[in-house]
Amino acid sequence: MKNKIKDLISIEYLNRDEITEIFDLAQSMKANKNKYYQALDKKVLAMVFEKPSLRTRFTFETGIFELGGHGIYLGPQEIQLGKRESIYDAAKNLERWAHGIVIRTFAHSNVTEFSETVIIPVINGLDDLVHPCQALTDLYTLREKIENLSALTLAWVGDGNNVAHSLMWICAKLGVNMNLGVPDGYEPNKEITLKVVKEASKNNAEIRIFHDPDEAVRNADAVYTDVWTSMGRETEAERRKKFFKPFQVNSRLMDKARPGAYFMHCLPAHRGDEVTDEVIDSIRSIVFEQAENRLHVAKAIIYLLMR
Ligand code: CP
Ligand code: NVA
């Protein structure tokens, strides 16, 4: 990166060149594992996780290992941010031992506080507002399939949540059209929506919000969904089911998209809720390619930030 960025907090703070650099490096790492062997020799990645994870934890821990470094996982019981000690004190400790931090937490402000407190890179491994590593992987995965991303329409069906926000940002930056089909009252964050609509139009793309899933998937090249209830909102799960039922991605809905449209999901999936087995197990589904690519993209991110 020419003017090397310190952190990966949100796609909002990346430009098109930086996104492309991550994609190109991930592609090179995927094609030639050995070329980057020992690139982060003896570097330590602190992995601060306040929420559960399979993919993010596994891919960052494997990623740092494959580059010659070491990841240390700190789960919810370990640091107990803000309870056992303050975010400031925990961050100031970690900075003395580690060369980078991945953090998965609740409030977005926890991530920015970490970033402002330490001089080492801070990578957002998901918070209540955004999930940038996921969106980078998703557009990288689509680029493997469709070279000209700007010709693409991505449809999001479901909750206007953290994954949706990061996808909106990356689509806006890359000039990809995005339609969101969300239940009334579950729209994405207003401030983010205003910003991404503006950014997308600068890049000749549109980001549109519908309350009808059929309209959202019309002409879509890929249909993406996520759980109806995100981590931390479990008490709302039952109430949400009623509103989200018409937003299930099933064969009927997939048939409204372009023929051959891909099905995408960040996972974990709640089969039978937001997606049927028939769709997630179909040949249109690229969910496990997304999962695999989390590794290559995680490696590209830590290499660019920590080397
Ligand atoms: N997609 C994703 O971030 O998965 P995990 O929650 O398992 O890390
Ligand atoms: N929106 C989901 C994504 C999980 C990867 C959540 O926050 O729980």
Side-chain angles (χ1 to χ4, degrees), residues 136-155:
L136 283 164
T137 305
D138 299 332
L139 272 287
Y140 169 79
T141 305
L142 283 171
R143 194 183 77 155
E144 287 186 325
K145 309 266 170 214
I146 307 167
E147 222 165 285
N148 182 12
L149 281 181
S150 58
L152 187 98
T153 298
L154 174 66

Side-chain angles (χ1 to χ4, degrees), residues 49 51-59 104 125-126 131 134 163 224 226 231 265-268 294:
F49 279 62
K51 292 180 180 180
S53 172
L54 170 61
R55 282 144 292 270
T56 307
R57 178 194 174 167
F58 202 94
T59 55
R104 169 168 287 201
L126 179 148
H131 193 3
Q134 183 66 49
V163 177
Y224 198 127
D226 184 11
M231 292 180 280
H265 196 307
C266 54
L267 304 179
R294 286 293 306 267

Side-chain angles (χ1 to χ4, degrees), residues 15-130:
N15 60 36
R16 186 193 282 255
D17 289 348
E18 287 158 349
I19 294 169
T20 306
E21 190 177 0
I22 294 170
F23 288 178
D24 291 345
L25 186 62
Q27 191 178 0
S28 163
M29 287 177 157
K30 186 172 181 175
N32 188 352
K33 208 174 198 172
N34 293 333
K35 191 169 157 199
Y36 299 90
Y37 174 66
Q38 300 297 328
L40 295 182
D41 187 27
K42 299 195 181 66
K43 298 229 170 161
V44 172
L45 179 65
M47 303 174 57
V48 178
F49 279 62
E50 293 201 286
K51 292 180 180 180
S53 172
L54 170 61
R55 282 144 292 270
T56 307
R57 178 194 174 167
F58 202 94
T59 55
F60 274 102
E61 203 163 326
T62 304
I64 185 79
F65 169 74
E66 287 189 0
L67 295 172
H70 184 62
I72 297 183
Y73 173 77
L74 300 156
Q77 291 314 312
E78 264 123 349
I79 307 184
Q80 298 181 36
L81 285 174
K83 220 196 272 166
R84 189 163 179 267
E85 59 193 301
S86 68
I87 291 184
Y88 179 87
D89 286 350
K92 279 291 181 200
N93 276 259
L94 289 171
E95 171 184 61
R96 296 290 173 128
W97 312 312
H99 305 92
I101 299 172
V102 179
I103 175 165
R104 169 168 287 201
T105 185
F106 294 87
H108 183 66
S109 60
N110 291 348
V111 181
T112 52
E113 188 177 344
F114 254 90
S115 138
E116 285 156 15
T117 305
V118 298
I119 53 165
I120 59 175
V122 173
I123 298 160
N124 188 346
L126 179 148
D127 62 36
D128 290 342
L129 192 67
V130 288

Side-chain angles (χ1 to χ4, degrees), residues 79-300:
I79 307 184
Q80 298 181 36
L81 285 174
K83 220 196 272 166
R84 189 163 179 267
E85 59 193 301
S86 68
I87 291 184
Y88 179 87
D89 286 350
K92 279 291 181 200
N93 276 259
L94 289 171
E95 171 184 61
R96 296 290 173 128
W97 312 312
H99 305 92
I101 299 172
V102 179
I103 175 165
R104 169 168 287 201
T105 185
F106 294 87
H108 183 66
S109 60
N110 291 348
V111 181
T112 52
E113 188 177 344
F114 254 90
S115 138
E116 285 156 15
T117 305
V118 298
I119 53 165
I120 59 175
V122 173
I123 298 160
N124 188 346
L126 179 148
D127 62 36
D128 290 342
L129 192 67
V130 288
H131 193 3
C133 302
Q134 183 66 49
L136 283 164
T137 305
D138 299 332
L139 272 287
Y140 169 79
T141 305
L142 283 171
R143 194 183 77 155
E144 287 186 325
K145 309 266 170 214
I146 307 167
E147 222 165 285
N148 182 12
L149 281 181
S150 58
L152 187 98
T153 298
L154 174 66
W156 172 271
V157 179
D159 190 17
N161 66 15
N162 46 7
V163 177
H165 293 148
S166 284
L167 284 170
M168 289 163 83
W169 268 118
I170 202 163
C171 286
K173 297 272 175 167
L174 297 179
V176 174
N177 295 307
M178 183 172 174
N179 293 338
L180 294 98
V182 298
D184 204 1
Y186 294 94
E187 293 84 4
N189 175 289
K190 280 207 181 71
E191 200 184 315
I192 293 182
T193 304
L194 287 174
K195 286 190 195 168
V196 296
V197 165
K198 225 174 171 186
E199 179 74 23
S201 83
K202 277 200 266 169
N203 296 317
N204 302 314
E206 268 191 308
I207 297 195
R208 299 184 300 168
I209 297 174
F210 302 93
H211 290 116
D212 176 355
D214 289 23
E215 271 199 72
V217 303
R218 190 180 303 143
N219 291 325
D221 302 282
V223 176
Y224 198 127
T225 191
D226 184 11
V227 290
W228 292 339
T229 303
S230 286
M231 292 180 280
R233 294 186 169 268
E234 287 76 8
T235 55
E236 298 172 26
E238 272 317 302
R239 193 162 57 87
R240 282 174 169 249
K241 277 193 179 173
K242 191 172 78 213
F243 299 108
F244 282 84
K245 193 100 191 98
F247 291 79
Q248 182 187 65
V249 179
N250 48 34
S251 299
R252 187 205 64 79
L253 190 67
M254 284 304 289
D255 287 343
K256 303 267 174 192
R258 284 228 165 103
Y262 296 110
F263 171 72
M264 303 180 76
H265 196 307
C266 54
L267 304 179
H270 290 167
R271 289 165 175 257
D273 282 351
E274 76 272 7
V275 62
T276 57
D277 284 338
E278 202 182 359
V279 168
I280 198 170
D281 295 328
S282 71
I283 49 162
R284 294 164 162 194
S285 172
I286 55 171
V287 300
F288 299 120
E289 288 176 60
Q290 291 172 263
E292 179 193 330
N293 286 334
R294 286 293 306 267
L295 173 62
H296 309 300
V297 171
K299 285 171 74 177

